Amino acid sequence: MRTFWGLMRAYWFSDRWKEAWTLTIVIALLTALSSKAGVWFAVALGELGNSIAFLHDAANTHPLQTILTNAGILVLLVVLKDAVFTGVRNLVSTTLHRKWRGWLNNQFNQALLDGNHTHFHAQHGSAAGGIVAPDNIDQRIQESIKDMTGGAIGLAMGVLGVATSLYFIGENLIGSSVEVKGLEFLGSYGTAVLAFLAVATYVPLNTWIAVKLGRLLERLNVRMQQAEGSYRSELTTFLRRSFHVAASHGEGVQKSMHDRLYVDIDKTWGRLNVVNTSYTSFELIYNFVGARIVAYAPGLVSFIHNRLDYKGYITGSEMVAQLISQCSWFIHVMPAIATLRANSQRVTELANAIESVQHPREFYQQTGRSDFSYAAQNPVFGLTIQKLELAHQGEDATPFLSAANLRFRRGEWTFLKGESGCGKTSLIKAINGLWPYGRGTIVFPEGVASFYAAQEVKLQQVSLKQLVCLPGSEHDHADMQVAAALHKAGLGDFIEHLADESREGKIWDQVLSGGQKQKLVVARIILQQPGLLFLDEATGALDPEGKVAFHQAIKDNCANVTVISVMHEAVAPRSLSGEEFYHSVVSIADGVATKKPLAPSLPRELTTILAQPRPTEDKWLRFSRRLKQK
């Protein structure tokens, strides 16, 4: 699905090919019947015109009855063509649209949400190999796929309509053709040849004009989608950080940002409107000239020389008009083609981005050094890191963090310490395969589940039970197990709402405070029982007592878990009894990470003071060092 045609045909060659081809065949049959009904309509229209023209003819013994009969037949044909054939075809085509879009949506969801973390790499990877990180992925999946599939089906029905009309109308034109004076060498095919010649001259010339305008429409449609996507994305982000905007009185800055983004929409929209208006005017003039002048010209000479009666002239002209209309399908749908190409471009760009990051290591190696190796060993030996270097993008980028050899034993709790920006979080990301550039070997304990708890917790719109059971399914654990985990994490008040996706009209992401969300993470840890736990400032929203409770809950309920933790505190928290939670500390200084056992415990009073950030913190740290030396 990395090319336009690959994207178009994928559904028809998938595991749901029977469904796709059945609906397609039904649409084709209804389109053919609709084209045949168009021929019947032209014949009936000729009959009605003829009965009106000879209303006062002496040979016409039942003039009113003839007119009413022909009018009734014409109405019945309109109902048959538009209400039955075209109406049912519309129902079947919209069903195909729904099925095709659903299949494509599922394919992209599976590709983005695979175990390779494709959704992460596709957004955060730098441009490499001509593949640029796609903007507004949500818009591409929701709107672009929907509009692309609908547009493609409509255009395909148009092509099929042209083919069937050429067959049925052409057959009738040839059958009713007569000789044209001055073109006797054509014999009885004179009017048919003139009709086909008129269509072959008039339609391609105007199609060339339509293509020129269509290319401009395509470029403007792509630009419009990008502008709309950027504006919507910023609105979504703004609503998520609404509190921060209000707290900082940042409404003025936010408004200027919205205004700036909307200016792009407005300018592009204005240009698009001008081109659309020009195209509409061109199409209206084209339709009138084609249906009322070009269509009536081929049979006019024969009608003037009395080689073609009025009925035959009207019928033939109406058929030529229908043939021009059908063959002008490309002109009529040029705006739709421009939109289709714009949407397909957005979707294929996403497909290419997804495909390009299926092998993250090779992808990142195109823009920098990425030589991480991941292996497994006997769980007795825990987690091992060897010759690790982390860098930013660029082949010659200097490593900002290195670790020669770090080993974390089973059941060991390690505290990562260092100045802000020294690379503590980057180290945890690299261990978990979420840092792109650098090198080194990470050896995991074989068969041991790991769990990554970040500072910011975003909750999906699912039931509370499912939120606790993540990353597994809510069917993996009994209600009693989930309730027990919530109770141990300090969220017992919410147990009765396990099956609810919301509370008082708000989803759980809006109901729970920052501290409660981090307690929810504790409930997940207790329920999942990981053997390897990464805490990336996972207690940032908790008060000192809450941080102690957070650690104590893990200590009491997760035996032999290996913990690697990043916190803002200068000193790791201790239990209420004064016992240390952590056994060792990894210090990062001057770009080098070194591991050593945690220093002997300090008096609780001094530890409490040190744990509180304040301007005089350096003085207390120097005082603590002197105490250690003594």
Side-chain angles (χ1 to χ4, degrees):
M1 296 192 296
R2 301 180 65 184
T3 64
F4 174 78
W5 291 113
L7 194 64
M8 291 296 105
R9 65 173 178 261
Y11 175 51
W12 279 263
F13 292 91
S14 68
D15 56 344
R16 289 167 59 178
W17 64 271
K18 291 182 180 179
E19 171 188 87
W21 283 107
T22 299
L23 292 170
T24 303
I25 291 170
V26 172
I27 291 172
L29 291 174
L30 290 170
T31 300
L33 288 172
S34 181
S35 297
K36 186 63 176 177
V39 176
W40 299 336
F41 176 83
V43 173
L45 188 62
E47 291 285 355
L48 179 60
N50 188 62
S51 62
I52 293 173
F54 293 96
L55 176 65
H56 302 293
D57 193 296
N60 192 351
T61 56
H62 303 287
L64 185 60
Q65 180 181 348
T66 302
I67 291 176
L68 292 176
T69 300
N70 289 332
I73 293 173
L74 191 65
V75 171
L76 287 175
L77 286 173
V78 170
V79 172
L80 180 67
K81 179 178 181 296
D82 295 338
V84 179
F85 297 153
T86 305
V88 174
R89 185 184 68 169
N90 180 69
L91 177 62
V92 178
S93 66
T94 52
T95 300
L96 178 60
H97 182 196
R98 178 169 55 87
K99 299 287 187 181
W100 185 15
R101 181 200 176 187
W103 181 82
L104 267 178
N105 185 78
N106 182 59
Q107 297 303 304
F108 276 96
N109 271 325
Q110 287 187 4
L112 284 169
L113 299 172
D114 60 2
N116 184 51
H117 308 306
T118 294
H119 62 94
F120 174 82
H121 297 302
Q123 293 182 87
H124 295 87
S126 302
I131 304 298
V132 180
D135 64 335
N136 306 306
I137 291 179
D138 58 331
Q139 182 198 45
R140 294 172 190 257
I141 292 179
Q142 181 184 6
E143 295 179 9
S144 297
I145 287 180
K146 178 184 176 182
D147 293 341
M148 182 197 70
T149 49
I153 292 171
L155 295 176
M157 289 193 300
V159 172
L160 189 59
V162 170
T164 53
S165 293
L166 280 171
Y167 176 77
F168 291 122
I169 296 176
E171 180 185 40
N172 197 280
L173 283 174
I174 292 173
S176 60
S177 180
V178 297
E179 188 179 81
V180 178
K181 186 177 180 179
L183 298 175
E184 287 82 3
F185 66 92
L186 295 176
S188 61
Y189 295 109
T191 55
V193 170
L194 286 179
F196 290 131
L197 186 61
V199 174
T201 303
Y202 184 67
V203 175
L205 176 63
N206 287 276
T207 299
W208 178 82
I209 299 173
V211 169
K212 293 295 184 182
L213 292 172
R215 287 175 179 169
L216 182 57
L217 281 172
E218 179 187 344
R219 291 194 295 270
L220 289 173
N221 269 302
V222 171
R223 184 73 196 101
M224 189 67 174
Q225 288 190 23
Q226 292 172 338
E228 291 277 10
S230 298
Y231 187 57
R232 186 182 66 180
S233 177
E234 179 55 39
L235 283 174
T236 302
T237 305
F238 155 63
L239 293 175
R240 289 176 180 170
R241 60 170 183 250
S242 178
F243 169 77
H244 302 286
V245 173
S248 62
H249 299 282
E251 285 82 1
V253 174
Q254 190 70 41
K255 181 179 179 300
S256 64
M257 187 184 304
H258 291 176
D259 292 342
R260 176 173 54 80
L261 290 172
Y262 192 80
V263 165
D264 193 17
I265 293 176
D266 188 64
K267 288 182 178 178
T268 307
W269 197 357
R271 294 175 60 193
L272 192 59
N273 286 342
V274 171
V275 179
N276 274 323
T277 300
S278 302
Y279 196 92
T280 301
S281 300
F282 159 75
E283 189 177 5
L284 289 172
I285 296 171
Y286 170 84
N287 290 340
F288 174 79
V289 173
R292 292 294 171 258
I293 297 177
V294 177
Y296 280 78
L300 184 60
V301 176
S302 297
F303 177 68
I304 290 173
H305 290 90
N306 207 28
R307 295 181 181 179
L308 189 65
D309 61 14
Y310 183 74
K311 173 186 172 183
Y313 177 55
I314 295 297
T315 301
S317 298
E318 286 299 322
M319 286 189 181
V320 174
Q322 286 207 33
L323 188 60
I324 290 175
S325 177
Q326 291 293 342
C327 291
S328 301
W329 157 85
F330 197 75
I331 295 175
H332 297 321
V333 299
M334 182 55 67
I337 292 176
T339 303
L340 170 64
R341 287 178 61 85
N343 284 310
S344 64
Q345 179 181 331
R346 302 278 286 169
V347 177
T348 52
E349 283 176 355
L350 177 58
N352 277 296
I354 289 173
E355 184 66 27
S356 68
V357 298
Q358 290 308 299
H359 303 285
R361 179 175 173 179
E362 288 80 359
F363 173 73
Y364 290 119
Q365 282 178 344
Q366 298 179 65
T367 53
R369 184 168 188 175
S370 183
D371 195 19
F372 295 105
S373 175
Y374 296 89
Q377 63 185 0
N378 191 304
V380 172
F381 300 109
L383 172 71
T384 302
I385 298 172
Q386 299 172 339
K387 299 179 180 178
L388 183 71
E389 291 183 349
L390 303 185
H392 295 292
Q393 181 181 344
E395 291 290 344
D396 301 324
T398 302
F400 63 83
L401 175 63
S402 62
N405 188 18
L406 300 177
R407 175 166 293 180
F408 305 91
R409 304 186 311 275
R410 181 171 62 178
E412 180 182 8
W413 287 43
T414 304
F415 175 45
L416 269 62
K417 183 178 179 180
E419 295 181 358
S420 179
C422 68
K424 300 186 294 294
T425 294
S426 301
L427 175 59
I428 292 184
K429 286 181 178 179
I431 295 172
N432 286 272
L434 299 175
W435 185 264
Y437 301 107
R439 66 176 180 175
T441 301
I442 297 96
V443 186
F444 282 90
E446 189 173 15
V448 173
S450 64
F451 191 104
Y452 190 130
Q455 178 181 14
E456 190 175 12
V457 183
K458 293 292 184 182
L459 305 179
Q460 294 96 323
Q461 190 173 345
V462 293
S463 68
L464 179 59
K465 181 181 178 182
Q466 177 63 80
L467 289 174
V468 180
C469 293
L470 287 174
S473 167
E474 61 182 337
H475 305 296
D476 296 340
H477 303 278
D479 287 355
M480 289 298 293
Q481 292 176 299
V482 177
L486 281 173
H487 176 72
K488 293 174 182 177
L491 295 175
D493 293 341
F494 296 101
I495 290 175
E496 59 183 302
H497 301 286
L498 277 182
D500 299 338
E501 291 188 4
S502 61
R503 187 177 180 187
E504 298 177 353
K506 295 182 179 181
I507 61 174
W508 289 107
D509 194 56
Q510 299 170 327
V511 172
L512 300 179
S513 66
Q516 288 173 327
K517 290 178 183 179
Q518 293 186 333
K519 290 180 180 180
L520 181 65
V521 171
V522 177
R524 289 178 183 171
I525 295 169
I526 293 172
L527 187 67
Q528 301 294 335
Q529 290 291 301
L532 189 57
L533 177 60
F534 299 93
L535 302 177
D536 187 3
E537 300 183 11
T539 60
L542 298 172
D543 58 22
E545 292 182 359
K547 292 175 182 178
V548 172
F550 182 102
H551 286 80
Q552 193 67 56
I554 297 173
K555 195 79 171 180
D556 293 342
N557 296 281
C558 300
N560 295 321
V561 62
T562 301
V563 179
I564 302 175
S565 177
V566 175
M567 286 181 288
H568 281 305
E569 288 77 4
V571 178
R574 295 187 307 176
S575 68
L576 293 177
S577 63
E579 182 183 356
E580 295 283 0
F581 289 118
Y582 290 88
H583 309 103
S584 57
V585 59
V586 170
S587 299
I588 301 177
D590 299 324
V592 178
T594 54
K595 182 172 177 285
K596 60 183 179 180
L598 195 65
S601 299
L602 300 174
R604 180 187 299 182
E605 294 78 7
L606 185 55
T607 303
T608 303
I609 294 173
L610 289 172
Q612 297 176 356
R614 59 181 61 195
T616 57
E617 188 175 52
D618 290 340
K619 179 178 69 175
W620 287 105
L621 286 173
R622 288 193 298 270
F623 178 61
S624 67
R625 293 193 190 101
R626 287 199 297 270
L627 285 179
K628 292 178 185 178
Q629 293 171 356
K630 292 179 180 180

